[in-house]
Amino acid sequence: RQTRSLHSMKRARMNRRDHMGPLILRGAIVAALATGLLLGERLLPYFTSQSSIIALAYVVTTLVVMIQRRTSPPPAPRLRGAVTFWLLTTALISHILNNRGESPLPGLVVADPALAIDNWGLFLLHYVAPGLVLLDWALFGPHGIVRWRDTLLWLLYPIGYGVVMIARGALLPEINVRYPYPFLDPTLNGVDGMLLALLRVVVMLAVISLAVVALDRLSGFVSRRLTAPSIDPAAPPSTASAPSEVTDH
């Protein structure tokens, strides 16, 4: 009975330790997203604002569920994959297409305080929060639940966003932030140029979504290898006693 009690206490300590890592990391994600949304002007037509609000709502819900159930696995793992993909889309589209791969760090120390605050907010949303979400996706399970075909559902939101923003800009030419991103603006390079730019973006999104699933597969494989019971190669193999042969004399 005493041995069973000791095992229960040890298991409870391990569960608390395994629970704290995801809790701290997801708390940091909430802090990064909330601070980034509050610093500067965040307009709803931008994909950055929308995806960050969705991610914030999901991670806050995850923290509430974790605290109530005292478990680390988040709810709705497939939605978690979608949120990870959408934030990575925000990060890579911003860095590669909008900023042309330039470092965001000089913008954090500009002389204008208002511009510096706005740049800090964008830095949290475009770099810090996606990086933390990607780390959470890689380190903590459950792994192996999302499927390759889930990427088709994940793509519906950014593609639908693009269609709505183009139609919105065409129907409401006087609206504020008519085309949030240059690749959605047909007035820059014509309709053909816009369609070509959109095709490149969709291909990029498809690659990102597949990479998210591939990382999940890799993380699950590594986790299984690390938690698999080790076998001492020097230990003699266990042999079961063979039944004695009975002969008829």
Side-chain angles (χ1 to χ4, degrees), residues 47 95 99 113 151 159 161 166 192 205 216 224:
F47 189 82
H95 183 72
N99 297 336
T151 58
I159 292 176
Y161 166 85
I166 293 172
D192 292 341
L205 295 182
D216 174 72
R224 289 191 299 271

Side-chain angles (χ1 to χ4, degrees), residues 17-27 63 66 72 136 140:
R17 183 186 61 191
D18 295 339
H19 183 67
M20 286 305 298
L23 191 66
I24 293 173
L25 181 55
R26 289 161 190 168
L63 288 175
M66 287 178 61
S72 60
D136 179 79
F140 305 116

Side-chain angles (χ1 to χ4, degrees), residues 88-102 126-127 183 204 208:
L88 288 180
T89 295
T90 298
L92 294 176
I93 293 294
S94 171
H95 183 72
I96 296 174
L97 295 184
N98 296 344
N99 297 336
R100 307 292 183 182
E102 296 181 0
H126 288 160
Y127 296 92
F183 53 83
M204 184 177 178
I208 297 172

Side-chain angles (χ1 to χ4, degrees), residues 14 36 70 73-74 76 100 118 136 146 159 165 186-187 191 204 232 237:
M14 292 177 63
R70 298 184 180 181
R100 307 292 183 182
D118 188 72
D136 179 79
V146 297
I159 292 176
M165 289 297 108
T187 65
V191 175
M204 184 177 178
D232 187 358

Side-chain angles (χ1 to χ4, degrees), residues 6 12 23 31 35 53 58 74 96 108 119 149 158 169 175 205 229 242 245:
L6 291 174
L23 191 66
T35 305
I53 292 171
Y58 174 77
I96 296 174
L108 305 181
N119 288 339
R149 62 178 177 269
I175 197 171
L205 295 182
E245 183 180 359

Side-chain angles (χ1 to χ4, degrees), residues 134-214:
L134 184 63
L135 189 63
D136 179 79
W137 178 253
L139 292 181
F140 305 116
H143 296 296
I145 294 180
V146 297
R147 300 290 181 261
W148 297 104
R149 62 178 177 269
D150 291 335
T151 58
L152 298 175
L153 295 175
W154 300 350
L155 286 166
L156 291 179
Y157 168 44
I159 292 176
Y161 166 85
V163 171
V164 170
M165 289 297 108
I166 293 172
R168 169 181 173 271
L171 296 174
L172 303 171
E174 302 300 326
I175 197 171
N176 189 28
V177 191
R178 183 181 181 188
Y179 297 107
Y181 301 100
F183 53 83
L184 299 176
D185 190 350
T187 65
L188 294 179
N189 299 307
V191 175
D192 292 341
M194 180 196 69
L195 292 177
L196 183 60
L198 284 177
L199 179 60
R200 289 197 295 264
V201 170
V202 171
V203 171
M204 184 177 178
L205 295 182
V207 172
I208 297 172
S209 65
L210 294 174
V212 169
V213 180

